[in-house]
Amino acid sequence: MAKKKGKKIRVAFKKNRQKKVRNNKLASHQMDEQVDSQYRDTTERLTGKGDLTRHRTVMGVEHETDDGTEIVIDIDEQNCIPGRVIRSQGLNSVVQVADGTRYECTIRRLVRTMSREDRNAVVAGDHVLIRPDGNEYQAVIERVEPRRSYLSRGSKRREHILVSNIDQAVIVVSADDPPLKPSLIDRFLISSEKGNIHSIICINKIDLVDPVAFQPLIGVYAQMGYDIVLTSVTEGTGIPRLRSLLKGKQSVFSGQSGVGKSSLLNQIDERLSLETAEISQENRKGRHTTRSALLLEIATGGWVVDTPGIRQLELWDVIPEEVEGFFRDFIPFVTQCRFPDCSHTHEADCGVKRAVVHDFISRQRYQSYLKIIASDEPRPVYHQ
């Protein structure tokens, strides 16, 4: 993908092969025979360099992205085949090339040991260059091309990219069983926009409730320009419209466990035959049936990605000060705040809080905003 001539670049690598650093201090002990024998352990170093990241010089090109600079390493492209990652789990991936052939792939050590903020070097949806290793349908991923879009979340203080290089995210929630969580919709909307992805909100299992009860919620998101689809797998409601929105696009289905993502995909294209499961009657939570993100080609043209269900979405690389920018309904009122750095929580003469009091902004949306910026700790609306 990189056309520029490569140059030497110093790159940070994971500290995955170094010996552990001993925490004990030599000066703080009496050097008797017992302690001395402990310090002769050759598997431990006596220097403090364990906290330093290892660096190596590689040949490559620095590629500018919205999130910073990405290194595209030089490889022998003549011996490689371009492809797309269909599934990735651990160090193993399935890559499909242009003629439809699929290869079981491992990841080149240079690629997987380069230091990064995200958890995995390769994710479903990545465009890669692979080198067949001589065995039938076996190959090595030599390079991952820069990602144009992605859907991610925070996981154990690292970024977990669910899927890359897609056009739109279908945020699936259920009208009931499990109950709808508007705050989860808002988190997905932020994550999608952060990753340069268009959002579609799909309210599934609409046959379980009176649709009229959801009109206020639908109106809030429709006024902000989001596509809203009401669906029912049992009655077939909304399936044709959802199928038309997916035609020719690359879409990811995301949401809680049990909201019906796999069931919807089976309705959209019956050839998929994805595994589904019933809701637990004990806690009204879904059971995981999809174990990893999987790219699937659909009959109407385009690709869909079924992702594992989640019960909460931790936003990644979103600071409180920028959250207001992802709330489209706040934008007209931010300029009416008295203070330019207004957080819309405790300040006097706040345009956003005034809009909430007069119902120009949904109170549910405002509470969702407060939870996001205050670690899920809601605060009241103060009348002005």
Side-chain angles (χ1 to χ4, degrees), residues 44-334:
E44 298 186 88
R45 292 181 289 101
L46 303 184
T47 69
K49 293 184 178 179
D51 291 334
L52 301 179
T53 304
R54 298 186 304 123
H55 286 76
R56 283 178 54 188
T57 300
V58 301
M59 294 296 295
V61 174
E62 294 179 315
H63 178 79
E64 295 297 328
T65 68
D66 292 339
D67 298 322
T69 302
E70 187 173 343
I71 305 300
V72 181
I73 57 176
D74 273 356
I75 61 172
D76 183 4
E77 297 187 18
Q78 293 184 345
N79 293 324
C80 294
I81 306 172
R84 185 127 189 245
V85 178
I86 301 301
R87 184 202 294 268
S88 182
Q89 199 161 16
L91 299 178
N92 301 308
S93 302
V94 177
V95 175
Q96 180 170 313
V97 298
D99 63 2
T101 303
R102 295 190 175 186
Y103 289 84
E104 296 284 342
C105 297
T106 56
I107 307 170
R108 180 184 176 187
R109 182 178 169 187
L110 176 67
V111 174
R112 60 183 168 84
T113 57
M114 290 176 65
S115 181
R116 63 180 62 82
E117 287 188 337
D118 52 296
R119 259 183 10 179
N120 301 324
V122 177
V123 301
D126 277 343
H127 294 290
V128 297
L129 289 174
I130 64 173
R131 174 178 52 81
D133 65 3
N135 297 322
E136 188 176 17
Y137 306 128
Q138 301 276 320
V140 177
I141 295 177
E142 291 286 325
R143 187 171 77 198
V144 179
E145 303 290 18
R147 296 160 179 155
R148 64 175 176 84
S149 62
Y150 58 89
L151 183 67
S152 72
R153 63 169 179 161
S155 176
K156 298 178 180 179
R157 299 185 179 181
R158 300 192 68 183
E159 183 178 23
H160 178 201
I161 298 179
L162 303 174
V163 65
S164 69
N165 301 315
I166 53 175
D167 302 315
Q168 55 191 17
V170 181
I171 303 167
V172 184
V173 295
S174 58
D176 192 21
D177 202 24
L180 188 148
K181 294 182 178 180
S183 60
L184 189 59
I185 296 177
D186 296 329
R187 288 176 177 270
F188 268 114
L189 290 174
I190 293 175
S191 184
S192 298
E193 190 166 337
K194 183 81 175 177
N196 195 31
I197 299 171
H198 172 69
S199 296
I200 298 171
I201 300 172
C202 175
I203 303 178
N204 193 29
K205 303 185 183 181
I206 200 67
D207 56 291
L208 300 180
V209 299
D210 181 359
V212 175
F214 284 89
Q215 289 306 312
L217 180 72
I218 294 169
V220 167
Y221 291 107
Q223 286 179 353
M224 290 186 284
Y226 293 110
D227 289 316
I228 315 290
V229 187
L230 305 182
T231 58
S232 168
V233 172
T234 57
E235 298 181 355
T237 305
I239 301 300
R241 180 161 184 260
L242 183 58
R243 189 182 289 121
S244 68
L245 289 171
L246 302 180
K247 185 175 181 180
K249 300 287 187 179
Q250 301 184 52
S251 312
V252 57
F253 276 56
S254 53
Q256 288 178 269
S257 300
V259 295
K261 299 185 298 294
S262 298
S263 298
L264 283 170
L265 288 171
N266 287 337
Q267 285 288 311
I268 289 164
D269 190 337
E270 61 183 13
R271 303 174 307 166
L272 300 180
S273 300
L274 299 176
E275 183 184 355
T276 61
E278 297 294 329
I279 294 293
S280 170
Q281 295 305 312
E282 295 180 0
N283 54 24
R284 299 189 72 194
K285 293 181 179 179
R287 299 185 177 96
H288 292 292
T289 53
T290 303
R291 302 300 177 186
S292 60
L294 175 65
L295 267 72
L296 304 161
E297 196 166 6
I298 53 177
T300 55
W303 292 78
V304 294
V305 185
D306 191 17
T307 59
I310 62 175
R311 293 193 177 133
Q312 59 182 2
L313 179 69
E314 178 186 343
L315 296 173
W316 178 258
D317 194 27
V318 178
I319 61 175
E321 290 76 13
E322 66 176 324
V323 171
E324 69 171 33
F326 294 106
F327 277 67
R328 299 180 182 180
D329 42 348
F330 283 23
I331 295 175
F333 305 101
V334 168

Side-chain angles (χ1 to χ4, degrees), residues 7-74:
K7 62 180 181 179
K8 292 182 179 180
I9 303 172
R10 291 288 287 174
V11 179
F13 282 76
K14 294 179 182 178
K15 302 174 288 184
N16 62 328
R17 299 183 70 86
Q18 66 183 11
K19 298 175 183 177
K20 64 180 181 179
V21 179
R22 193 181 66 229
N23 293 324
N24 301 341
K25 295 181 180 180
L26 293 175
S28 64
H29 294 275
Q30 296 294 326
M31 298 300 292
D32 56 20
E33 291 184 0
Q34 180 179 0
V35 176
D36 188 47
S37 64
Q38 173 190 349
Y39 288 154
R40 291 196 192 106
D41 185 354
T42 58
T43 65
E44 298 186 88
R45 292 181 289 101
L46 303 184
T47 69
K49 293 184 178 179
D51 291 334
L52 301 179
T53 304
R54 298 186 304 123
H55 286 76
R56 283 178 54 188
T57 300
V58 301
M59 294 296 295
V61 174
E62 294 179 315
H63 178 79
E64 295 297 328
T65 68
D66 292 339
D67 298 322
T69 302
E70 187 173 343
I71 305 300
V72 181
I73 57 176
D74 273 356

